Amino acid sequence: MSLLRDIQNSAIDANEPISTLLRKCKILAVRLGSEEFKSWVENELNGYFDRDEIPEYRIMSVGCKGHFSGGFGSGMHNAEIPSRCIPKDFREGLYTSYLAQPISSIESLIEDSDGGTVQEPWPSDVTAHFGMNMYQGMNCLQAWKVVPVNALVGILDMIRNKVLNFVLEIESEDPEAGDAPINSKPVAEEKVNQIFHTYITGNVQNVATGSNNVSQHAIKNENNELFNELLNALINSSGTKESKDQIVGSVEEMRDTQGTSAFKSHYNKFMSLLADHMQVYGPVVAPFLPTLASIVP
């Protein structure tokens, strides 16, 4: 069986560990001579050491819970921690899960879970710092992010789909590409890069397909006019200074992260803030929502 067909069979077999599938992809990356594909496989196998490199499908907005203790033996267990209890500068880090660990660790989390969620603990110093500001008369003893297991399963399925689409496209270019000598580049480097960015990263706009002498960059500011109009509408709205500063800040974060993996988390943060102040800002934001939704990766 050819390597390409072996990878295809592994991708569609739900019982095949993702780590095994990716090791086969590592062999394919070397035979194709694709450094980008090889780097992606290495990161998935070994984890992402730079938060800025974590792909969008490994970043998700989550809820948070905690255990609380009060006076006279009172307390609460597994109580929700509303995001509004946390200063806005800290919310993104505490209410976003950046799944940077090796893919085998995510597989283990799924296997060991019981109850449909897994916990990602808050740093103890953060819990101590904000613990008195969540519920009146209560102190937070322990806090954690609540990560749905089905979201973790979705990450594994997404990787399977990405790999399957990639190898199918490579096979359409050269059915023997997976069995070619190492670094022989059976498929043109430009074509491999195009397929990689189309099916693995989704950043096809970054790829120059016609010439080695062309350098292309993602157009990150194409929607600046939209964001500027939205900002002006919010600034001139009747909301309180505190709420206005929060929602304006989230719009600025979206504007500044267009075209990056961080955009979706800022968009989710914006929608969460909007939900908290729908009566005030809903009518102001409504005309912009369809366009905003269309540019979410």
Side-chain angles (χ1 to χ4, degrees):
M1 181 185 298
S2 70
L3 178 62
L4 291 178
R5 289 300 174 90
D6 189 19
I7 293 175
Q8 291 170 31
N9 290 338
S10 295
I12 63 178
D13 184 358
N15 295 318
E16 180 91 345
I18 293 289
S19 51
T20 301
L21 170 64
L22 289 171
R23 290 188 184 97
K24 296 176 182 179
C25 289
K26 185 174 180 178
I27 298 172
L28 177 61
V30 173
R31 292 180 178 175
L32 292 174
S34 173
E35 289 299 323
E36 287 187 296
F37 186 40
K38 180 181 176 182
S39 177
W40 177 75
V41 171
E42 292 282 3
N43 285 332
E44 289 295 333
L45 284 171
N46 301 319
Y48 292 83
F49 298 100
D50 185 343
R51 176 176 287 189
D52 293 336
E53 294 182 357
I54 300 175
E56 179 269 335
Y57 58 82
R58 278 175 168 257
I59 301 173
M60 65 185 72
S61 296
V62 296
C64 295
K65 290 186 176 183
H67 295 321
F68 295 83
S69 175
F72 305 102
S74 62
M76 297 189 299
H77 293 275
N78 297 318
E80 297 282 347
I81 302 177
S83 61
R84 62 179 177 271
C85 298
I86 306 299
K88 65 178 182 178
D89 291 342
F90 295 89
R91 288 178 191 169
E92 181 180 352
L94 295 178
Y95 288 84
T96 303
S97 183
Y98 299 89
L99 297 163
Q101 60 265 57
I103 199 67
S104 59
S105 296
I106 295 179
E107 288 180 308
S108 295
L109 287 174
I110 295 172
E111 293 174 0
D112 297 339
S113 65
D114 55 355
T117 62
V118 297
Q119 297 179 4
E120 182 182 336
W122 281 19
S124 57
D125 56 339
V126 174
T127 305
H129 185 74
F130 297 120
M132 297 292 292
N133 303 325
M134 299 173 187
Y135 288 97
Q136 186 173 5
M138 294 277 182
N139 183 38
C140 184
L141 304 177
Q142 183 182 5
W144 60 88
K145 301 175 185 178
V146 180
V147 182
V149 169
N150 59 1
L152 301 181
V153 173
I155 292 174
L156 302 189
D157 284 342
M158 189 172 298
I159 291 174
R160 289 186 189 276
N161 292 335
K162 287 176 179 292
V163 168
L164 181 60
N165 289 332
F166 178 82
V167 296
L168 287 173
E169 287 299 313
I170 292 295
E171 186 178 47
S172 71
E173 293 294 322
D174 183 351
E176 306 300 325
D179 301 301
I182 292 176
N183 289 323
S184 62
K185 298 185 178 180
V187 179
E189 183 177 358
E190 294 84 359
K191 188 63 179 179
V192 174
N193 288 341
Q194 179 191 11
I195 295 171
F196 174 79
H197 285 286
T198 300
Y199 293 103
I200 302 295
T201 69
N203 295 327
V204 68
Q205 70 269 23
N206 289 335
V207 184
T209 60
S211 170
N212 290 330
N213 298 320
V214 177
S215 176
Q216 293 185 345
H217 302 277
I219 302 174
K220 296 174 63 175
N221 298 318
E222 59 183 0
N223 295 299
N224 274 359
E225 183 176 351
L226 166 73
F227 287 111
N228 289 337
E229 290 178 0
L230 176 56
L231 286 169
N232 287 333
L234 289 169
I235 290 171
N236 293 321
S237 65
S238 58
T240 64
K241 183 179 184 304
E242 181 181 2
S243 65
K244 191 180 297 186
D245 286 347
Q246 290 177 343
I247 200 164
V248 165
S250 68
V251 172
E252 291 175 339
E253 289 170 341
M254 286 194 295
R255 180 193 61 193
D256 295 340
T257 56
Q258 294 176 68
T260 72
S261 60
F263 180 87
K264 186 174 182 179
S265 65
H266 292 307
Y267 173 82
N268 290 337
K269 175 183 175 181
F270 167 77
M271 294 301 292
S272 176
L273 289 170
L274 180 61
D276 290 341
H277 305 282
M278 183 60 71
Q279 289 186 336
V280 177
Y281 298 116
V284 177
V285 173
F288 302 91
L289 289 178
T291 306
L292 282 176
S294 70
I295 61 177
V296 177

